[in-house]
Amino acid sequence: MSGAAHTGAGGQQTLGDLGEAGILGDIFATLTTTDAVLVGPGDDTALLATSGPVLATTDTMVRGRDWLDEWSSAHDVGAKVVVQNLADLAAMGGVGTGLLVTLVAPGSLPAQWARELTAGIAEVSAATGVPVIGGDLSSSDGAVVVSVTALGALPGGAPVLRSGAAPGQEVAVSGSLGRSAAGLEILRRGDVGWWPSTEHAGTAAGWVAYHCRPDPDLTQGPRAAEGGATAMLDVSDGLVRDGGRIAAASGVRLELDEQVVARLAAAYEPVLGGRMALECVLAGGEEHSLLATFPAGAVPDGWTVVGRTVAAGTAGPGVWWRGERATGGGWDHFGG
Ligand SMILES: [Mg+2]
């Protein structure tokens, strides 16, 4: 096999060897479907039965920018790009009904990478019951780009927007904060030969796994909507920045609970140190837990109350921590 111009460096089969029909055949053969998919992959478009308004969102990952091959497998990338999309649907109170997947890659990309990417997509698709209904393939001179468009429905009928928070409400998060950022920090330190002590290695490995393949409980989105959430989004850019988006859209102030933030940061402190631990909780992105506001007493079981809303006052909307306005720009802004 070595010496064939169209095989990869290791002599393995490439996308160029397989051809578009072969790749699509490979990919769609592994995927499941639902009754709502009236026409699936293979025709000019898919046809999906719907019973109401349709949610639509899209998210793209680019090799070298959104992931590094040294840190993330193709399986990780496939799973993560789907989760990111489904988290956006959940953040409206929605559930996914269909996924459209686009892969742009050079012909020299190992076919095995594309298969593992598909396995990652298929895993989340099967776990969440959201079928892949179509996709596209295109070639590039070197860039590898994976893009997913997700369609969804609203079980509760009405979306939860970012703009519905009012003063006197509770601010809560559906899952972890800072875990993805902590994992990324571990990877960065590992890059220069650093790894936590044996005592904490298992914990740190869990953060790394969550960074590469986050698995937030997205059923909490519709649950929060049903429970009366007044505003919601998924934490993609950090508690302070994303909280700031709810604050700005709703015209309120979000006051974070200093003790809760400290308690959450304590989990990371033995490995990352106090300063970085706090930064993970306040500014850690790609977490995809849901952040929502609820009327007092309406926070669902399992959610963590991290603060409350108050009137914006003359200083205007924003996120407050330790009595000052916090911004998402970095540690210095958190008044450490
Ligand atoms: Mg989002």
Side-chain angles (χ1 to χ4, degrees):
M1 287 179 72
S2 64
H6 54 282
T7 53
Q12 72 271 51
Q13 190 182 40
T14 65
L15 283 191
D17 298 334
L18 268 183
E20 184 167 347
I23 298 160
L24 290 175
D26 261 25
I27 289 175
F28 291 123
T30 65
L31 299 170
T32 49
T33 188
T34 67
D35 290 344
V37 183
L38 304 178
V39 177
D43 217 303
D44 293 284
T45 80
L47 182 61
L48 195 62
T50 61
S51 56
V54 174
L55 293 167
T57 185
T58 191
D59 213 6
T60 298
M61 291 181 71
V62 178
R63 180 166 73 180
R65 183 174 296 267
D66 298 299
W67 85 86
L68 297 177
D69 283 343
E70 303 92 284
W71 295 347
S72 296
S73 68
H75 193 118
D76 292 337
V77 173
K80 188 168 183 171
V81 70
V82 174
V83 165
Q84 287 175 344
N85 274 278
L86 296 182
D88 279 330
L89 298 178
M92 304 293 280
V95 295
T97 52
L99 301 166
L100 297 158
V101 181
T102 295
L103 171 63
V104 181
S108 60
L109 188 81
Q112 188 58 22
W113 195 94
R115 288 195 187 97
E116 285 170 18
L117 174 80
T118 307
I121 292 169
E123 182 180 286
V124 179
S125 168
T128 56
V130 186
V132 175
I133 58 173
D136 189 29
L137 275 169
S138 192
S139 60
S140 74
D141 290 334
V144 179
V145 178
V146 185
S147 185
V148 169
T149 295
L151 304 176
L154 290 166
V160 182
L161 306 180
R162 298 176 176 189
S163 53
Q169 298 186 332
E170 294 187 278
V171 181
V173 65
S174 66
S176 56
L177 284 173
R179 204 149 40 125
S180 178
L184 179 60
E185 181 63 15
I186 295 288
L187 287 167
R188 283 191 178 129
R189 294 184 185 188
D191 216 26
V192 292
W194 184 90
W195 191 251
S197 66
T198 317
E199 185 191 352
H200 297 296
T203 312
W207 304 338
V208 169
Y210 192 84
H211 173 74
C212 292
R213 204 184 296 185
D215 60 343
D217 179 4
L218 299 178
T219 64
Q220 296 298 334
R223 216 174 136 218
E226 192 186 339
T230 53
M232 183 157 57
L233 44 60
D234 67 304
V235 178
S236 52
D237 294 319
L239 176 61
V240 168
R241 278 195 184 174
D242 289 318
R245 290 175 174 137
I246 287 179
S250 300
V252 297
R253 177 186 295 192
L254 259 63
E255 288 187 345
L256 298 180
D257 184 319
E258 190 177 332
Q259 289 184 341
V260 174
V261 169
R263 181 168 60 72
L264 296 173
Y268 307 115
E269 197 169 335
V271 176
L272 299 178
R275 188 184 167 100
M276 180 55 68
L278 212 42
E279 184 150 341
C280 285
V281 173
L282 291 171
E286 295 194 313
E287 194 74 6
H288 303 300
S289 294
L290 301 170
L291 178 69
T293 52
F294 296 89
V299 176
D301 287 346
W303 287 57
T304 304
V305 175
V306 295
R308 63 195 186 111
T309 57
V310 299
T314 52
V319 175
W320 257 250
W321 184 61
R322 289 182 175 170
E324 291 178 11
R325 181 190 290 271
T327 67
W331 167 261
D332 288 341
H333 301 281
F334 298 135

